[in-house]
Amino acid sequence: MRALVTGAEGQLGRHLVATAPRDVAVEAVGHEQCDITDPQAVARALESFQPDVVINTAAYTSVDAAEDNEDLAFLVNARAPELLARAAARGGARLIHISTDYVFDGSRSTPYPPDAPTNPLNTYGASKLEGERLAQAAASSTLIVRVGWLYSKTGKNFLSRIAAGNIAAPQIRVVRDQVGCPTSAREFALALWRAARSQLSGVYHWANLGQTTWYDFALECGKVAGELNLSDRSAPEIVGVTSEEFPSRARRPRYSVLDPARLAAALGISPSSWIEALRAEMQRAG
């Protein structure tokens, strides 16, 4: 199998490259190698490599900045997946496109199945939802996989800041009233490689099992980092605050836990609990 991975410089892209099966030829491209908003660049990349599958991990992910850069967010998160899906279909390939839990408004109190009604609260979520729609309209073979609260030991994410001891302040304020499921980028990458060998299309979800708040996630990160002696610096005090006490440009859903059961069953695998996955990832970091 030949796989083209876009957004290769991001945390998920790097994990896809690192976990690729030995019998998969991977062409990993970042923005410099392939601007996915440029139809000609996309066409050249696919014609040159001739992949069987395209895994699009590239996105405009700055949730707050998207409120002031709506055109750019929709260009990268909506128009680009359409271009990739259409170009992939022309070459006999299939697109796997990564979407987000932010397509939901957080009004539920139980995990969201893939067919739950969508209602994004912010520009980022709206642009990603439009990307799902356009990619599926461009090619019926497109597979959409939504994920949320993705982390790894590297890159810019919640875990990497805490585990690496990069917080110099004596105190860190973390929202305690937003519920989701921290999800390992490495485990997600492994699931995506199984999905790449399948014939699945449509919309699915992936997440580690369970749920927590950002505040309790931070506490668990600090606890495990301390047990594994991952930093010489004293850990900051973690203070829980409400969303109103931690104002941001974009609204976030208060509840965005995704139900991975359908994808797990289709692939014949079972996600780890979020606590098990976190400990495994932090042990690799040590």
Side-chain angles (χ1 to χ4, degrees):
M1 186 170 67
R2 299 171 65 81
L4 176 68
V5 176
T6 62
E9 296 165 355
Q11 64 170 327
L12 179 57
R14 289 196 297 269
H15 278 283
L16 281 167
V17 173
T19 60
R22 292 183 179 181
D23 61 344
V24 176
V26 177
E27 178 77 0
V29 296
H31 180 75
E32 295 299 321
Q33 293 80 35
C34 179
D35 178 356
I36 62 169
T37 68
D38 181 346
Q40 294 182 338
V42 168
R44 284 195 300 269
L46 270 75
E47 290 169 3
S48 173
F49 187 63
Q50 297 185 345
D52 300 298
V53 63
V54 178
I55 307 178
N56 180 38
T57 73
Y60 185 97
T61 58
S62 182
V63 177
D64 289 323
E67 296 301 306
D68 299 311
N69 296 280
E70 183 174 345
D71 289 347
L72 181 58
F74 272 84
L75 178 64
V76 177
N77 293 342
R79 173 61 173 161
E82 179 186 27
L83 293 175
L84 287 166
R86 184 170 290 117
R90 280 199 303 266
R94 181 170 63 114
L95 174 67
I96 299 178
H97 175 60
I98 311 306
S99 192
T100 175
D101 56 333
Y102 277 22
V103 300
F104 299 113
D105 62 13
S107 60
R108 286 176 68 101
S109 58
T110 56
Y112 281 92
D115 57 358
T118 55
N119 184 33
L121 299 177
N122 53 50
T123 298
Y124 168 71
S127 67
K128 292 294 287 184
L129 183 60
E130 182 68 358
E132 293 181 14
R133 186 188 71 80
L134 291 175
Q136 289 183 291
S140 61
S141 62
T142 296
L143 172 62
I144 308 290
V145 185
R146 296 176 182 144
V147 70
W149 292 36
L150 203 63
Y151 69 83
S152 68
K153 67 182 182 182
T154 58
K156 296 180 180 180
N157 64 83
F158 194 81
L159 170 63
S160 63
R161 290 182 65 219
I162 294 177
N166 290 333
I167 301 172
Q171 187 181 90
I172 177 174
R173 300 165 72 239
V174 183
V175 173
R176 67 169 185 261
D177 58 2
Q178 293 176 18
V179 178
C181 186
T183 296
S184 162
R186 184 177 187 277
E187 282 200 22
F188 185 36
L190 292 171
L192 287 174
W193 283 124
R194 293 181 73 101
R197 295 190 187 280
S198 76
Q199 298 301 314
L200 294 176
S201 61
V203 180
Y204 289 82
H205 289 170
W206 183 261
N208 285 118
L209 300 179
Q211 63 184 46
T212 189
T213 66
W214 284 115
Y215 171 70
D216 288 317
F217 181 38
L219 289 179
E220 191 67 22
C221 289
K223 174 185 173 182
V224 178
E227 291 174 358
L228 299 177
N229 297 314
L230 295 181
S231 175
D232 295 329
R233 180 178 292 172
S234 296
E237 177 189 9
I238 298 172
V239 178
V241 298
T242 65
S243 297
E244 288 74 19
E245 293 175 287
F246 199 90
S248 59
R249 185 75 176 83
R251 293 175 63 199
R252 266 80 167 170
R254 294 295 181 96
Y255 185 93
S256 61
V257 180
L258 300 177
D259 183 351
R262 292 183 192 175
L263 183 57
L267 300 179
I269 56 178
S270 179
S272 304
S273 74
W274 75 264
I275 293 179
E276 292 171 338
L278 173 63
R279 180 169 289 273
E281 180 67 15
M282 294 183 76
Q283 286 174 332
R284 280 190 289 272

